[in-house]
Amino acid sequence: SQQGEEDPQALSIQEGENATMNCSYKTSINNLQWYRQNSGRGLVHLILIRSNEREKHSGRLRVTLDTSKKSSSLLITASRAADTASYFCATDQAGTALIFGKGTTLSVSS
Amino acid sequence: EPEVTQTPSHQVTQMGQEVILRCVPISNHLYFYWYRQILGQKVEFLVSFYNNEISEKSEIFDDQFSVERPDGSNFTLKIRSTKLEDSAMYFCASQGQAGSSYEQYFGPGTRLTVT
């Protein structure tokens, strides 16, 4: 079954640095979405990239998608302490059930 | 900005009891979902709901679970006889129009603790 798997599992950086998280999946997809989750809280939608798109930007976020490699990356530029959270990719084939990865835990220290 | 809301934020129940988790999706959305996240694990899909019926469900969503949209705003998940392993965070999500926007927006979750 299709599955998003993020790496690294954990990432620690200093404020101002860029953070890059990667996601791989197994089968063809329609869309890939990235979510953020602060500890014990809900999932916040960050960005959606469609299978026919290669790159998308939203503020300090940049997402790329390589369907030939079945992978995506999320780049957070100029990170802030408030970016500390877990980040998940989620894929879908037909705009229905999302399949989530295990997530990357990002820690940004000031 | 419209958001998905869920109540209660935390529910403690004894094994074997029935629980109902409630969600109010974003008002003009058409597709509704329940997911769960066991502590420290990944978010898992339970069920999707469209046009007043289940459109997709996972293996987790067995006969102990049911969903309902009793009125134009609420979307509920019922667990008939809770088990210890049902302890998890339950998230409701909603999605707008298929074909134009597939973003799923999640509520803050209900933490269910079964003792």
Side-chain angles (χ1 to χ4, degrees), chain A residues 25-81:
Chain A
Y25 55 92
K26 294 180 180 177
T27 63
S28 62
I29 61 169
N30 274 17
N31 308 286
L32 187 144
Q33 305 186 47
W34 284 91
Y35 289 85
R36 183 185 75 226
Q37 184 181 37
N38 290 80
S39 181
R41 307 289 294 275
L43 294 157
V44 175
H45 186 271
L46 296 176
I47 198 164
L48 178 150
I49 187 165
R50 302 186 195 284
S51 59
N52 61 356
E53 297 177 311
R54 292 296 165 260
E55 188 170 314
K56 207 161 180 182
H57 296 254
S58 177
R60 293 184 297 114
L61 306 180
R62 174 178 166 250
V63 169
T64 62
L65 179 64
D66 186 336
T67 53
S68 66
K69 294 181 180 177
K70 293 187 171 56
S71 67
S72 173
S73 68
L74 171 67
L75 168 67
I76 304 174
T77 59
S79 62
R80 306 166 182 167

Side-chain angles (χ1 to χ4, degrees), chain B residues 12-19 81-84 113-115:
Chain B
V12 181
T13 189
Q14 289 191 325
M15 198 166 50
Q17 296 295 305
E18 173 183 289
V19 294
S81 177
T82 51
K83 306 168 192 168
L84 294 176
T113 302
V114 182
T115 61

Side-chain angles (χ1 to χ4, degrees), chain B residues 30-77:
Chain B
L30 300 176
Y31 298 81
F32 314 111
Y33 305 84
W34 284 101
Y35 294 83
R36 79 171 186 191
Q37 185 181 32
I38 294 171
L39 186 63
Q41 297 188 24
K42 61 173 72 174
V43 176
E44 300 172 292
F45 166 73
L46 294 178
V47 65
S48 60
F49 194 84
Y50 169 71
N51 201 25
N52 285 320
E53 60 183 26
I54 291 172
S55 51
E56 190 179 1
K57 61 182 181 179
S58 72
E59 292 176 353
I60 303 168
F61 194 87
D62 61 22
D63 293 343
Q64 293 297 318
F65 293 88
S66 62
V67 289
E68 196 177 32
R69 188 158 161 81
D71 52 43
S73 59
N74 290 286
F75 180 50
T76 62
L77 174 69

